[in-house]
Amino acid sequence: MHPWQQSEKELEYIVDKFSELKDRILDPFLGSGTTAVVSSKMRRKFVGFDIDPDCIKEAKVRIKSSR
């Protein structure tokens, strides 16, 4: 979906090790929204932004479909 996209599995490990339930995760490089999707699945809140409006649109769709 995005040239620099990380796998959800990688992010699950990071989110699990460095945050707790209901923590807020910040992703200043939203891209396709992998961090947001994983955060949501793991019951964390998230804030993400990107300078590319196409990425933001794509991430919104992906986040909604993952719920």
Side-chain angles (χ1 to χ4, degrees):
M1 288 182 221
H2 190 276
W4 299 326
Q5 181 174 335
Q6 293 180 308
S7 75
E8 288 187 25
K9 207 61 154 167
E10 290 174 314
L11 265 293
E12 286 171 3
Y13 178 82
I14 292 169
V15 169
D16 180 56
K17 297 299 177 197
F18 294 98
S19 69
E20 296 179 6
L21 289 178
K22 299 184 181 179
D23 275 356
R24 184 161 313 199
I25 308 294
L26 171 65
D27 186 356
F29 308 102
L30 186 63
S32 62
T34 304
T35 303
V37 168
V38 170
S39 297
S40 181
K41 286 180 180 178
M42 296 181 74
R43 297 175 44 204
R44 272 66 165 179
K45 298 174 184 174
F46 65 88
V47 175
F49 49 92
D50 202 293
I51 61 170
D52 184 341
D54 292 332
C55 283
I56 294 171
K57 287 178 191 173
E58 184 177 315
K60 284 181 178 180
V61 170
R62 184 173 176 207
I63 293 163
K64 283 182 183 180
S65 69
S66 72
R67 292 184 177 170

